[in-house]
Amino acid sequence: MQSTASYINIADLKASGKALADAHDLPATGGGCGTHGGEGKASCGSSGGPDDMPQEIWDKVKNHPCYSEEAHHHYARMHVAVAPACNIQCNYCNRKYDCSNESRPGVVSQKLTPEQAVKKVLAVASEIPQMTVLGIAGPGDSLASPKKTFETFRMLQEQAPDIKLCLSTNGLALPDMVDEICKYNIDHVTITINMVDPEIGAKIYPWIFWDHKRVTGVEAARILHERQMLGLEMLTARGVLTKINSVLIPGVNDEHMIEVNKAVKARGAFLHNIMPLISEPEHGTYFGLNGQRGPTAQELKAVQDACMGGANLMRHCRQCRADAVGLLGEDRSSEFTLDKIEEMEVVYDFDRRRSYQDKVETERQAQHAAKLEALAATTGGSAEIDDGMKVLVAVATKGGGRVNEHFGHVTEFQVFEVSAKEALFVGHRRVDQYCPGGFGVDEQLPSVVRAINDCHAVLVAKIGACPRDELKGAGIEPVDGYVDEFIEKAALSWFADYRARIASGEIAHRERGDASIRQGAYTAAA
Ligand code: CLF
Ligand code: SF4
């Protein structure tokens, strides 16, 4: 298998994106799911708000961190690892470790019984009142261990009815479980769908366990595909919100992803989350051992952009562990091991949780309003200079939607695509912290540069001389003039200034290169 060849033709994909938008009879703006899509609404997809969807849908997604990009800054989720078995084999998974689809490989979970799981959820709910969602995402397939999965949901629903229930599955067993899913009011289901063509599926799935026997090859992929489509249609018919996760595998399903997006949209999927393949030899997966690489940052973005105008896209997924706890991008699972829970005084106080969440919601709405105001003010006079130029900027933030983190403390940059009209969140880039113990580790700098090498600028609260020079040398402008400002406003202001400097001849605009997606396990300390 190839390890370095570039399979994804970015120009072709952009052209395909137009074709996709045409097929859906939507405007092909190159930003179909952004400001220009969705009948002129400000946003849709995971960045959508109450104006973009019916009230009953908004009520389901507004505090779900995966289904709402805005919510993920404020609300937390947790997973309990009650489902160890799986009924299929994916070439990107080594089942000795966590599921590499919904969780990181290489980190062994503490497997829980349903009773232990519920105890853990109540402990987390009392410590982290903004934890609103319990997901079961493995470490195998949640529906390959249906008794444990549904028993956990049943008990939790009785004891903590305000917590939303969410599950993730490969879809093989899904059609048989839709009644159970509805019985326990599981409002959110993720199906991992990597193909709608069994010939492609045969390159991803060596076998499935079906009808009491192992089935291989194209026949296995055909059965899986039919079950996934049927399950999705059944959930849509019952009003369950579905998200589709797809693992982008260069040279295998990259060009095919537009077809997947079309097929799931046609069957009512609410969101499509296209994630990069995680593949390193040390993970021990078939792909990892055979040199199959994951996509670069620009390859992933090109496929996501090409799918805009189809099913709404999620771009803030952190590919979290099957026992993750906390906000997306952070992992507090080590605070809630079984022995620590035993020593905790667990007080599940519904009223306290609600009043805390009311405060979170007030803060979130204030931030949303300030963001819209900032956008309106900044974009008011800039339409005349809109010649279609778009650049990426990386942002150092520790929350609140503001530029408020030091360069050296960052473990994850947020990336925004900025034009004269808008600043759109398009993803995140994990990096190893430059200042882990108060001192800069200069050896880390090349890897940080590689992670944001497609960006024109990095907005930070503060940055030292050494990283500043390294970034400048790589052609990335370090910017520390927008401390504590809302990200969108800061990005648009920087862009206006950048344009002015180009116009005055002070600088010349140059295209950026590609960036690499950091592989390997996320560690809470990183
Ligand atoms: Fe968990 Fe998945 Fe529910 Fe979210 S995760 S079961 S929908 S509560 Fe979220 Fe994690 Fe990405 Fe999954 S960031 S891997 S999309
Ligand atoms: Fe692994 Fe998940 Fe695939 Fe099962 S469905 S083989 S647990 S990645």
Side-chain angles (χ1 to χ4, degrees):
M1 241 177 258
Q2 291 269 10
S3 61
T4 54
S6 176
Y7 299 101
I8 304 171
N9 183 321
I10 294 173
D12 284 355
L13 279 169
K14 284 182 175 156
S16 309
K18 183 180 182 311
L20 176 68
D22 290 346
H24 287 294
D25 201 18
L26 291 168
T29 59
C33 197
T35 30
H36 314 296
E39 299 168 60
K41 301 274 175 59
S43 56
C44 57
S46 68
S47 28
D51 296 337
D52 303 308
M53 59 191 84
Q55 183 65 41
E56 67 272 18
I57 306 277
W58 175 241
D59 287 341
K60 285 183 183 175
V61 303
K62 67 182 179 190
N63 62 359
H64 192 309
C66 303
Y67 281 67
S68 161
E69 192 274 320
E70 201 175 270
H72 100 275
H73 300 286
H74 304 276
Y75 294 100
R77 56 75 184 98
M78 69 175 292
H79 292 162
V80 284
V82 294
C86 194
N87 46 10
I88 71 173
Q89 178 64 57
C90 305
N91 277 334
Y92 48 74
C93 179
N94 175 359
R95 225 168 286 146
K96 285 184 192 148
Y97 300 99
D98 280 348
C99 169
S100 57
N101 164 28
E102 276 280 306
S103 58
R104 292 281 168 197
V107 186
V108 180
S109 304
Q110 200 171 17
K111 311 264 168 42
L112 304 178
T113 65
E115 291 74 19
Q116 289 169 326
V118 170
K119 198 168 178 184
K120 179 172 177 176
V121 178
L122 295 177
V124 173
S126 75
E127 289 287 310
I128 309 178
Q130 70 272 42
M131 190 278 288
T132 50
V133 178
L134 168 70
I136 297 183
D141 185 73
S142 63
L143 298 182
S145 306
K147 279 193 184 144
K148 289 178 184 167
T149 293
F150 289 116
E151 183 61 3
T152 305
F153 283 140
R154 185 191 66 74
M155 287 194 291
L156 188 70
Q157 200 189 33
E158 281 174 11
Q159 297 182 49
D162 65 315
I163 294 177
K164 286 184 193 305
L165 306 178
C166 191
L167 72 77
S168 171
T169 176
N170 60 43
L172 183 64
L174 179 58
D176 303 330
M177 304 287 169
V178 169
D179 284 345
E180 289 284 285
I181 287 169
C182 294
K183 183 172 155 190
Y184 296 113
N185 296 321
I186 299 162
D187 270 340
H188 302 82
V189 173
T190 294
I191 315 170
T192 299
I193 298 179
N194 298 317
M195 55 83 202
V196 291
D197 175 350
E199 296 284 343
I200 293 173
K203 297 175 188 167
I204 304 170
Y205 307 104
W207 57 260
I208 65 170
F209 196 76
W210 175 246
D211 201 15
H212 309 290
K213 59 181 184 296
R214 190 176 278 212
V215 182
T216 59
V218 176
E219 177 63 2
R222 184 189 61 75
I223 294 167
L224 179 63
H225 164 60
E226 287 174 2
R227 300 285 292 173
Q228 289 175 335
M229 295 298 118
L230 177 61
L232 172 56
E233 287 168 3
M234 290 172 75
L235 289 173
T236 299
R238 303 285 287 268
V240 178
L241 281 189
T242 49
K243 173 167 70 60
I244 306 306
N245 280 2
S246 298
V247 181
L248 185 68
I249 310 163
V252 176
N253 68 353
D254 42 6
E255 291 174 359
H256 181 58
M257 204 49 75
I258 289 168
E259 289 306 312
V260 174
N261 185 280
K262 269 168 57 172
V264 300
K265 180 187 167 82
R267 289 166 179 81
F270 180 74
L271 274 181
H272 190 192
N273 171 27
I274 302 171
M275 315 181 294
L277 171 72
I278 297 168
S279 179
E280 292 288 293
E282 59 267 31
H283 300 157
T285 64
Y286 176 83
F287 280 153
L289 292 171
N290 286 277
Q292 172 65 55
R293 68 174 178 90
T296 66
Q298 280 298 302
E299 286 171 343
L300 175 65
K301 184 173 180 299
V303 173
Q304 290 171 332
D305 287 353
C307 288
M308 287 168 82
N312 296 327
L313 295 179
M314 171 188 188
R315 300 209 198 206
H316 61 281
C317 175
R318 302 305 201 273
Q319 292 172 281
C320 39
R321 297 160 41 131
D323 56 2
V325 174
L327 295 168
L328 303 192
E330 74 173 4
D331 184 10
R332 297 177 59 179
S333 54
S334 62
E335 294 172 40
F336 299 96
T337 54
L338 284 178
D339 46 342
K340 288 182 183 164
I341 290 169
E342 287 303 327
E343 289 167 15
M344 280 181 191
E345 190 195 347
V346 175
V347 184
Y348 184 78
D349 184 338
F350 177 80
D351 290 334
R352 182 175 154 263
R353 279 175 54 77
R354 167 154 294 177
S355 97
Y356 189 92
Q357 287 176 21
D358 285 347
K359 279 190 206 138
V360 170
E361 195 52 36
T362 305
E363 186 191 339
R364 170 221 183 122
Q365 284 175 9
Q367 280 173 4
H368 182 75
K371 191 166 90 178
L372 291 184
E373 202 178 308
L375 275 173
T378 315
T379 56
S382 58
E384 70 272 12
I385 62 158
D386 181 19
D387 57 4
M389 182 195 280
K390 290 179 179 177
V391 301
L392 298 182
V393 298
V395 180
T397 178
K398 57 185 172 191
R402 294 176 189 266
V403 182
N404 55 8
E405 184 61 289
H406 291 204
F407 176 87
H409 299 167
V410 169
T411 55
E412 174 188 293
F413 287 100
Q414 293 189 4
V415 176
F416 286 73
E417 187 167 64
V418 196
S419 67
K421 289 181 182 160
E422 60 196 359
L424 287 176
F425 174 88
V426 291
H428 69 281
R429 304 282 166 75
R430 287 192 299 130
V431 294
D432 290 318
Q433 203 173 345
Y434 169 62
C435 268
F439 297 99
V441 181
D442 292 341
E443 295 73 37
Q444 301 280 36
L445 286 174
S447 73
V448 177
V449 168
R450 278 198 298 277
I452 57 172
N453 193 43
D454 48 354
C455 297
H456 277 73
V458 55
L459 310 188
V460 297
K462 202 169 177 184
I463 184 167
C466 195
R468 186 183 288 273
D469 290 346
E470 181 96 7
L471 288 166
K472 276 188 189 165
I476 304 167
E477 185 181 334
V479 181
D480 60 1
Y482 300 101
V483 182
D484 267 341
E485 287 200 17
F486 282 108
I487 293 170
E488 285 83 356
K489 183 182 177 193
L492 286 160
S493 299
W494 171 82
F495 188 70
D497 176 61
Y498 178 70
R499 297 294 305 252
R501 283 181 284 149
I502 295 168
S504 72
E506 184 186 336
I507 56 169
H509 174 67
R510 290 200 171 81
E511 295 298 326
R512 297 293 308 160
D514 204 344
S516 55
I517 294 172
R518 183 178 174 278
Q519 297 272 310
Y522 177 85
T523 54

